[in-house]
Amino acid sequence: MVRDLRLMISTALTVGLTATLGLAVSTEPPATATSVAPAQVAVTRQVAKPKWVYLTFDDGPSARYTAQILKILQAYHVRATFFELGQNVKRYPALTRRVDQLGHSVQNHSWSHPNLTKVNWATFKYQVRTTDRYLKAQTGYTPRCLRPPYGATNRVVAKRAAMLGKKLTLWTVDPADWSRPGTSVIVRRVLAKVRSGSVVLMHDGGGNRSQTVAALPKILKALKARGYLFYPLWCH
């Protein structure tokens, strides 16, 4: 009993010191997990630094692919952000409503996907405000995020977006899934570049997105295994 008591005291002191100093502790159990006190496992999980990622999908909603992507996200209990085109929302309002009902963020990607650096102020306002109106009709809120098509932006676009109450939202990881490079390539590109806080760009509309649909479960499974959490973007 004395030996066991000494072991418990030593373990508690080690855990307490680790937590106090803020040292990085793996969330994976050690190789000798059977000899580790439950209290130690609980503390190490609490001090582990969380990792998160934002999955985003552009150019939808799409009658064929959005529903498939929603089903996969639901199966993995993941919430994402959908940057939708106003003209597609007008065509498939029920899909936009479904995206919102499942807890995803629905944001503005313009009305018809023009290069916003090449349009005048009147066209810019039309592209953003008309999309806002159709999105709000299905979600009940006005989007705060604006993703400029092609990622094309400059100081004028940023100023105009701000005047309309929008925050420009780009990305940090682009697997170029729109070019259909192959399912395995999409998966590899995402997993090679993703870091905590990454914004991943993919597409649920604008063309054949079957490779994106096929890649998504593999990406989610791998990122979850790495300990990532998933959050939607709101631009509050």
Side-chain angles (χ1 to χ4, degrees), residues 47-224:
V47 301
K49 187 176 181 179
K51 299 183 293 184
W52 65 92
V53 64
Y54 304 96
L55 296 182
T56 67
F57 298 90
D58 284 14
D59 297 349
S62 159
R64 183 170 184 178
Y65 300 109
T66 301
Q68 295 181 56
I69 288 174
L70 288 175
K71 186 176 181 179
I72 294 168
L73 293 174
Q74 190 171 17
Y76 282 85
H77 306 287
V78 167
R79 291 181 179 178
T81 306
F82 289 76
F83 287 92
E84 298 191 340
L85 296 176
Q87 62 184 10
N88 289 343
V89 177
K90 181 180 179 181
R91 181 176 296 181
Y92 308 113
L95 273 174
T96 296
R97 191 159 58 250
R98 180 63 174 161
V99 172
D100 173 64
Q101 289 172 344
L102 289 173
H104 304 290
S105 174
V106 182
Q107 300 297 325
N108 196 315
H109 194 38
S110 81
W111 178 261
S112 58
H113 211 276
N115 184 328
L116 295 180
T117 66
K118 299 181 179 181
V119 302
N120 59 29
W121 174 226
T123 300
F124 190 102
K125 286 190 293 184
Y126 173 83
Q127 288 284 329
V128 175
R129 286 180 171 172
T130 309
T131 302
D132 274 352
R133 186 168 70 252
Y134 277 87
L135 289 174
K136 186 176 181 179
Q138 302 307 320
T139 66
Y141 61 85
T142 300
R144 296 290 300 275
C145 306
L146 172 63
R147 174 164 284 174
Y150 314 104
T153 185
N154 55 26
R155 284 182 293 179
V156 173
V157 170
K159 182 179 179 180
R160 289 174 172 177
M163 290 173 66
L164 297 179
K166 297 288 184 284
K167 179 179 179 181
L168 293 180
T169 309
L170 299 178
W171 53 85
T172 60
V173 178
D174 180 7
D177 65 323
W178 58 269
S179 66
R180 305 186 71 241
T183 297
S184 61
V185 174
I186 296 171
V187 174
R188 184 171 69 250
R189 287 173 177 174
V190 171
L191 298 183
K193 297 180 180 180
V194 74
R195 301 290 185 272
S196 183
S198 289
V199 179
V200 180
L201 168 65
M202 290 184 283
H203 296 77
D204 64 319
N208 185 331
R209 303 305 176 211
S210 57
Q211 292 183 2
T212 302
V213 172
L216 186 56
K218 302 177 188 296
I219 292 170
L220 295 179
K221 184 177 181 179
L223 291 180
K224 284 209 162 193

